[in-house]
């Protein structure tokens, strides 16, 4: 019996953000699948989710200040919460740019990358939700890294096609920024996988 029980609710808070990230990724995919005039609903939905994720992340920080014994290293708790929130911020940034730029029909490469982002969020959710018990976490961390590599490959191929085919310089700049944002989202997601992997190894 512990005289000072560990605060275990951090795990639930991580899952709460990871869950919102999966929903945001679904909206991001629908945003690029739908016609430009119907995108605003998805932009607003992602913004709402980003706000909720921020609140959960603040709760993690507040709990760290109040908790004497934590289930993981304090630095790891702070890093994981911060990285999960960064992923949401990246998706929110992409959605907002899509609205600001008044983008038309996306190139095929954008759809392919968004689909990888969506798969990545599902994998991160699995990794984070298994962290408390430690079941099969590493498998999902490995899968996340493979998805980042897949996204990287699509990004470079699609960027080459964009520069080859797009004759409108303004459109080229707009879509290049979207590609950069999506690739950046996958990089941020890989950071989450790396922290989860590190935590799992420490507590094995």
């Amino acid at each position: 019996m512990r005289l000072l029980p560990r605060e275990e609710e951090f795990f639930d808070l991580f899952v709460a953000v990871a869950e919102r990230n999966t929903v945001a990724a679904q909206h991001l995919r629908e945003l690029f699948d739908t016609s430009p005039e119907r995108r605003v609903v998805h932009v607003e939905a992602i913004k709402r989710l980003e706000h909720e994720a921020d609140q959960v992340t603040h709760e993690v920080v507040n709990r760290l200040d109040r908790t004497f014994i934590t289930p993981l290293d304090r630095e790891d708790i702070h890093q994981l919460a911060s990285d999960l929130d960064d992923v949401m911020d990246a998706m929110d940034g992409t959605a907002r740019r899509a609205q600001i730029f008044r983008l038309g029909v996306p190139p095929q490469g954008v759809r392919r990358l968004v689909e990888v982002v969506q798969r990545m969020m599902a994998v991160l959710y699995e990794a984070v939700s298994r962290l408390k018990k430690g079941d099969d976490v590493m498998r999902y961390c490995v899968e996340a890294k493979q998805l980042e590599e897949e996204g990287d490959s699509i990004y470079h191929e699609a960027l080459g096609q964009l520069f080859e085919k797009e004759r409108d310089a303004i459109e080229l700049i707009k879509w290049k920024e979207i590609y950069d944002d999506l690739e950046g989202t996958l990089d941020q997601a890989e950071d989450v996988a790396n922290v989860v992997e590190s935590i799992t190894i420490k507590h094995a």
Side-chain angles (χ1 to χ4, degrees):
M1 181 181 136
R2 293 193 191 98
L3 291 175
L4 292 164
R6 292 190 308 187
E7 172 61 81
E8 299 284 352
E9 244 178 72
F10 289 107
F11 294 107
D12 297 332
L13 296 172
F14 296 145
V15 172
V17 178
E19 192 172 10
R20 283 166 175 79
N21 283 351
T22 62
V23 179
Q26 175 64 34
H27 278 291
L28 198 61
R29 186 168 182 179
E30 289 172 12
L31 184 155
F32 286 111
D33 279 347
T34 195
S35 55
E37 66 275 6
R38 298 174 70 178
R39 286 178 180 156
V40 66
V41 64
H42 299 296
V43 176
E44 288 173 354
I46 293 170
K47 173 44 72 186
R48 259 194 322 274
L49 289 160
E50 189 270 336
H51 181 63
E52 289 172 16
D54 271 349
Q55 290 178 316
V56 178
T57 304
H58 287 313
E59 178 61 20
V60 171
V61 175
N62 289 338
R63 276 181 188 274
L64 265 180
D65 290 341
R66 299 196 308 262
T67 304
F68 189 71
I69 298 178
T70 56
L72 307 169
D73 291 351
R74 288 175 179 273
E75 300 79 25
D76 289 337
I77 289 172
H78 195 277
Q79 192 64 56
L80 182 53
S82 173
D83 286 352
L84 280 165
D85 194 49
D86 286 346
V87 172
M88 176 63 87
D89 289 344
M91 288 190 284
D92 179 50
T94 305
R96 278 190 291 167
R97 278 188 188 83
Q99 187 178 35
I100 292 164
F101 293 167
R102 303 187 187 281
L103 296 172
V105 177
Q108 192 56 36
V110 167
R111 291 176 187 230
R112 288 174 66 201
L113 260 183
V114 171
E115 192 261 337
V116 176
V117 168
Q118 191 178 16
R119 280 157 52 207
M120 176 70 98
M121 294 310 121
V123 165
L124 288 188
Y125 174 79
E126 289 295 336
V128 169
S129 62
R130 290 161 191 264
L131 196 53
K132 188 173 183 177
K133 292 183 178 176
D135 299 341
D136 244 3
V137 177
M138 295 299 276
R139 176 161 73 90
Y140 291 100
C141 293
V142 169
E143 200 174 329
K145 290 175 187 189
Q146 289 168 344
L147 284 169
E148 193 280 331
E149 287 173 12
E150 182 184 338
D152 218 32
S153 175
I154 292 169
Y155 167 76
H156 287 108
E157 180 193 333
L159 218 52
Q161 290 179 354
L162 180 70
F163 276 90
E164 186 184 332
K165 294 176 181 174
E166 183 57 68
R167 292 289 167 258
D168 185 320
I170 302 294
E171 284 299 302
L172 189 146
I173 291 166
K174 288 178 182 178
W175 285 114
K176 183 188 179 298
E177 192 143 338
I178 295 298
Y179 277 126
D180 290 348
D181 284 348
L182 292 171
E183 199 261 343
T185 303
L186 290 171
D187 286 344
Q188 301 274 20
E190 188 183 22
D191 289 345
V192 173
N194 288 337
V195 176
V196 171
E197 181 180 49
S198 169
I199 291 169
T200 305
I201 290 167
K202 280 186 197 175
H203 295 267

